[in-house]
Amino acid sequence: MLTLHTKIPHADAIAAQLVLPYELREKCRLRATLDTGEDVAVFTVRGTVLRDGDLLTGEDKRVVRVVAAPEPTYKVTCADAHALLRCAFHLGNRHTQAQVGDGFLRIRADAVLKEMLAGLGATVVEESAAFEPESGAYGGGHAHHHDGPLAPIPLRQKIHRPGDPK
């Protein structure tokens, strides 16, 4: 079985494609099947998210391109930017992963969220699309326990703890 464990920036030739929905592209240990029918094991550093177009390789130096599979999503649009911003706020308040596009948001299909968004005045359309949500405010990296906080703290951010003097 082919084992993939290293992301590379570019390649001259692509041996196969690995088509995965976002839920599987978040996993650090994965067994899947390439578009050629070959089984593959993927081992990435915890916290790594495979994005559409990423290139992976392993010991035998073959290169595989990651492809974001179409999956059930909702495309959220609004009459104006303010209404769309309100929808983004309420999705974030519910810790919902969202893809931010030019004039739209895309989320995983969820009937409860669809109803909430419609109540905010949004147009919510079901579609099968590749889902590429934002990685988050401190996204992209990973941390080890000895590295300190789970996410970097901006230098200007003051952290208040209950026992701190006033």
Side-chain angles (χ1 to χ4, degrees):
M1 177 184 322
L2 176 62
T3 300
L4 302 171
H5 53 71
T6 305
K7 284 172 82 170
I8 58 174
H10 61 276
D12 293 329
I14 306 298
Q17 293 186 346
L18 179 59
V19 182
L20 298 171
Y22 184 75
E23 178 181 9
L24 296 180
R25 290 184 284 127
E26 287 184 297
K27 296 189 177 293
C28 61
R29 303 285 182 266
L30 174 68
R31 182 176 179 167
T33 304
L34 299 175
D35 66 342
T36 61
E38 183 178 3
D39 284 340
V40 63
V42 179
F43 297 97
T44 59
V45 175
R46 184 178 303 275
T48 299
V49 174
L50 298 175
R51 297 293 185 171
D52 187 60
D54 280 352
L55 301 175
L56 300 173
T57 190
E59 303 305 324
D60 74 354
K61 304 298 182 204
R62 283 189 285 168
V63 177
V64 173
R65 181 187 319 274
V66 175
V67 176
E71 54 188 292
T73 64
Y74 293 147
K75 184 174 183 180
V76 181
T77 57
C78 293
D80 57 56
H82 181 262
L84 189 61
L85 184 57
R86 286 186 68 227
C87 290
F89 171 82
H90 286 283
L91 289 170
N93 197 35
R94 285 155 184 80
H95 302 280
T96 302
Q97 291 178 312
Q99 178 178 344
V100 178
D102 188 14
F104 72 91
L105 302 170
R106 179 171 287 123
I107 62 171
R108 287 185 179 120
D110 180 303
V112 173
L113 293 176
K114 181 179 183 180
E115 186 177 329
M116 177 198 72
L117 293 164
L120 291 168
T123 301
V124 183
V125 177
E126 295 181 33
E127 59 181 17
S128 181
F131 184 54
E132 289 285 353
E134 290 290 306
S135 59
Y138 307 112
H142 71 282
H144 299 283
H145 292 292
H146 61 271
D147 289 342
L150 293 176
I153 299 169
L155 295 176
R156 295 181 307 255
Q157 182 175 340
K158 172 75 173 137
I159 299 192
H160 299 281
R161 294 179 180 86
D164 288 349
K166 297 199 183 230

